[in-house]
């Protein structure tokens, strides 16, 4: 009997303790559990999470992201939904706490039939410098803004300085990134300054070095443009103004001829073994054609427009072999029928002869003469205005076929910003670096 009197109070205490533990578990509520018929355009939505417990938030669809993956207590979460250029789609965001699972359903409308998507492509300039006092290393944000504005004018089809018909409007624009990868607002939109020793840098080595992947921001969300002083090549006899990687193209029905192939329709920065980006020689960051249209072969606006063309799938508008060496075979190596093929070797020989004659006689070579090429298929002459050409060229426009290639890359190629026309809800990336093909062009 005495033992029972001792055990009964102990049992009551245990029951009361368990009851308190159960009742003390915080409840979990969210301000909204369904978002229906949201726009096909990129959309951001905010929800309020009210809880006293630890929580984890996960998006179940690759086209939808949550601003914060885990935390404790109340929080405001931002749900970002990519623009939708395919069929209407549904997805879920799930929030787990110890006592509850909350599911937030999302339904996004399709883009209206017959409408073409206007791409706004975030650009982040990574300014690499060893001396903040060197204006050719530490390029100010205002200057980079000016450059990008002129690049956008070319992509809108505006001929900034030269006559002739207007170029093709690509229906896209490059915008200075407003936030970093973690969602923090940038004090200088579109620019990150990175202290780096050893200027100048060998640009080809830079574009191949796995260690430089760490400099990238997510290539699925940004175009990464690296600015640094390029080391001289060929003993200083040649100058490289810019260099870029070509985009990958997914094998199968949507493969784009002339691009390095991959079987993955979705990849992440962690899969890269090279820093997929554009590099621009900051030694020439202030060079450009004057308001009078006087030709400047070092024009940084043209250089960036040209390299972004490569980054989005364009080749040079002249005949060349796969290793970028010249050819006289008159083959269409840019896969664009509306860019006349020409023998660049023959053009260079003719240009050299004209320059020598001008030096000997004092004759002035006109821009019309210097930009004249011969179509190697038809024998007709034409003046070069294409931004993907070399040497003396008006360099201020693209063609319709080039437009189609760029928009194909934006629609289907992994590791390029913008919505993709793939089954985004089934995308999954392999883990770790992959042996992806790499093609570097200048």
């Amino acid at each position: 009997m005495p033992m029972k009197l001792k055990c009964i109070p102990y049992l009551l205490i245990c029951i009361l303790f368990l009851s308190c533990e159960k009742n003390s578990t915080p409840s979990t509520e969210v301000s909204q559990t369904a978002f229906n018929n949201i726009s096909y355009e990129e959309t951001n939505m905010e929800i309020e999470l009210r809880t006293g417990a630890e929580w984890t938030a996960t998006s179940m669809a690759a086209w939808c992201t949550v601003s914060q993956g885990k935390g404790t207590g109340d929080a405001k979460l931002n749900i970002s939904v990519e623009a939708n250029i395919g069929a209407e789609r549904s997805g879920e965001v799930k929030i787990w706490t110890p006592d509850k699972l909350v599911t937030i359903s999302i339904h996004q409308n399709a883009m209206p039939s017959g409408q073409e998507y206007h791409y706004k492509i975030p650009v982040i300039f990574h300014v690499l410098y060893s001396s903040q006092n060197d204006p050719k290393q530490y390029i100010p944000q205002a200057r980079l803004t000016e450059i990008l504005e002129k690049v956008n004018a070319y992509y809108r089809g505006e001929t900034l300085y030269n006559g002739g018909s207007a170029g093709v409007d690509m229906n896209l624009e490059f915008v200075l990134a407003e936030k970093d990868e973690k969602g923090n607002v940038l004090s200088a939109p579109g620019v990150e300054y990175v202290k780096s020793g050893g200027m100048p840098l060998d640009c080809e080595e830079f574009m191949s070095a796995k260690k430089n992947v760490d400099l990238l921001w997510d290539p699925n969300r940004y175009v990464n443009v690296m600015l640094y002083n390029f080391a001289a090549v060929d003993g200083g006899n040649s100058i490289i103004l810019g260099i870029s990687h070509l985009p990958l193209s997914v094998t199968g029905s949507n493969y784009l001829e002339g691009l390095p192939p991959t079987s993955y329709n979705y990849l992440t920065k962690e899969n890269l073994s090279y820093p997929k980006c554009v590099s621009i020689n900051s030694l020439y960051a202030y060079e450009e054609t004057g308001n009078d249209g006087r030709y400047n072969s070092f024009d940084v606006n043209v250089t960036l427009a040209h390299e972004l063309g490569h980054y989005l799938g364009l080749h040079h508008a002249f005949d060349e072999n796969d290793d970028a060496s010249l050819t006289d075979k008159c083959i269409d190596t840019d896969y664009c029928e509306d860019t006349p093929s020409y023998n660049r070797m023959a053009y260079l020989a003719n240009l050299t002869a004209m320059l020598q004659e001008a030096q000997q006689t004092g004759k002035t070579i006109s821009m019309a003469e210097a930009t004249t090429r011969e179509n190697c298929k038809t024998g007709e002459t034409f003046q070069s205005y294409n931004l993907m050409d070399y040497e003396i060229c008006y360099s201020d426009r693209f063609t319709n076929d080039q437009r189609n290639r760029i928009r194909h890359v934006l629609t289907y190629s992994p590791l390029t910003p913008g919505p993709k026309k793939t089954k985004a809800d089934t995308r999954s990336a392999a883990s770790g670096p992959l042996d992806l093909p790499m093609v570097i062009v200048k």
Side-chain angles (χ1 to χ4, degrees):
M1 193 66 164
M3 289 186 66
K4 289 185 179 180
L5 288 173
K6 290 180 181 179
C7 288
I8 290 173
Y10 178 79
L11 182 60
L12 289 173
I13 291 169
C14 290
I15 293 171
L16 288 171
F17 176 77
L18 292 172
S19 176
C20 289
E21 281 289 294
K22 183 176 181 181
N23 293 335
S24 66
T25 304
S27 61
T28 300
E29 296 180 349
V30 294
S31 57
Q32 191 167 343
T33 58
F35 293 91
N36 297 316
N37 298 316
I38 64 173
S39 169
Y40 73 92
E41 297 180 308
E42 182 179 341
T43 305
N44 291 292
M45 304 165 297
E46 187 177 85
I47 61 169
E48 292 186 12
L49 171 63
R50 294 181 290 273
T51 182
E54 292 184 358
W55 53 267
T56 301
T58 304
S59 171
M60 310 308 291
W63 45 268
C64 176
T65 58
V66 186
S67 59
Q68 187 176 341
K70 59 183 179 180
T72 301
D74 296 350
K76 288 185 178 181
L77 301 180
N78 184 270
I79 300 175
S80 298
V81 179
E82 292 179 4
N84 182 15
I85 59 174
E88 62 180 64
R89 58 192 180 185
S90 297
E92 293 179 338
V93 170
K94 293 185 181 293
I95 300 175
W96 286 271
T97 64
D99 73 318
K100 195 171 186 179
L101 166 62
V102 178
T103 299
I104 301 167
S105 62
I106 301 167
H107 179 85
Q108 187 179 30
N109 294 330
M111 187 170 66
S113 177
Q115 185 168 323
E116 184 180 68
Y117 184 72
H118 177 75
Y119 286 91
K120 290 186 177 182
I121 304 171
V123 172
I124 180 65
F125 290 100
H126 305 273
V127 180
L128 311 185
Y129 69 96
S130 57
S131 172
Q132 190 170 341
N133 297 320
D134 186 343
K136 291 187 177 181
Q137 290 185 24
Y138 200 87
I139 313 300
Q141 194 259 5
R143 177 59 185 153
L144 298 174
T145 299
E146 292 173 352
I147 294 170
L148 199 62
E149 286 175 351
K150 290 186 177 180
V151 168
N152 276 325
Y154 287 136
Y155 278 77
R156 286 194 300 269
E158 298 177 18
T159 54
L160 297 183
Y161 311 109
N162 308 306
S165 59
V168 173
D169 184 350
M170 312 296 270
N171 194 19
L172 64 85
E173 62 182 305
F174 300 99
V175 298
L176 295 170
E178 295 287 341
K179 297 180 179 180
D180 66 15
E181 291 182 290
K182 297 180 180 178
N184 301 310
V185 176
L186 296 173
S187 57
V191 184
E192 178 196 36
Y193 292 96
V194 181
K195 182 78 171 178
S196 175
M199 289 291 172
L201 303 174
D202 184 309
C203 64
E204 294 191 69
E205 287 184 4
F206 181 95
M207 299 292 281
S208 303
K210 184 179 183 299
K211 66 179 181 179
N212 293 329
V213 173
D214 293 338
L215 294 172
L216 297 180
W217 290 12
D218 182 2
N220 288 304
R221 297 165 54 195
Y222 307 89
V223 170
N224 291 269
V225 179
M226 308 290 176
L227 283 99
Y228 52 92
N229 292 176
F230 286 16
V233 294
D234 299 332
N237 294 320
S238 299
I239 295 173
I240 300 175
L241 300 176
I243 189 169
S244 176
H245 292 105
L246 283 177
L248 301 168
S249 187
V250 181
T251 54
S253 60
N254 292 317
Y255 174 71
L256 188 61
E257 192 175 12
L259 297 183
T262 180
S263 59
Y264 296 94
N265 69 0
Y266 182 69
L267 294 162
T268 69
K269 182 174 73 173
E270 286 66 35
N271 300 135
L272 285 170
S273 57
Y274 60 90
K276 184 177 183 294
C277 66
V278 168
S279 283
I280 299 296
N281 191 342
S282 56
L283 290 169
Y284 301 92
Y286 301 93
E287 297 285 343
E288 62 182 358
T289 299
N291 291 329
D292 58 358
R294 187 176 179 83
Y295 180 72
N296 184 338
S297 60
F298 300 104
D299 190 327
V300 68
N301 310 308
V302 170
T303 298
L304 181 55
H306 178 102
E307 298 306 332
L308 286 170
H310 283 319
Y311 191 83
L312 296 177
L314 299 186
H315 292 274
H316 293 130
F318 48 78
D319 297 351
E320 60 184 351
N321 294 307
D322 290 342
D323 63 358
S325 61
L326 297 181
T327 175
D328 59 359
K329 297 178 181 178
C330 194
I331 51 179
D332 185 10
T333 55
D334 74 343
Y335 308 95
C336 295
E337 293 184 2
D338 57 2
T339 55
S341 296
Y342 75 93
N343 184 332
R344 185 168 159 237
M345 287 189 293
Y347 166 75
L348 286 171
N350 185 54
L351 179 62
T352 300
M354 285 195 298
L355 291 172
Q356 289 175 343
E357 181 184 358
Q359 187 176 20
Q360 294 168 0
T361 64
K363 175 186 174 182
T364 300
I365 302 174
S366 70
M367 190 67 178
E369 290 176 297
T371 59
T372 297
R373 279 86 159 138
E374 180 180 303
N375 186 324
C376 60
K377 292 184 178 180
T378 67
E380 298 175 341
T381 59
F382 66 96
Q383 287 181 302
S384 179
Y385 288 87
N386 202 281
L387 279 156
M388 301 310 296
D389 206 347
Y390 265 10
E391 275 78 50
I392 301 178
C393 170
Y394 285 112
S395 301
D396 64 3
R397 64 198 69 176
F398 295 108
T399 67
N400 280 306
D401 286 352
Q402 289 175 322
R403 181 187 196 273
N404 292 337
R405 280 186 71 87
I406 283 179
R407 295 193 68 84
H408 184 102
V409 166
L410 289 169
T411 302
Y412 295 106
S413 288
L415 294 170
T416 54
K420 300 289 177 274
K421 193 177 285 187
T422 55
K423 289 187 176 180
D425 56 339
T426 62
R427 290 185 298 184
S428 59
S431 60
L434 301 172
D435 186 21
L436 299 171
M438 177 183 69
V439 179
I440 299 173
V441 284
K442 301 169 187 172

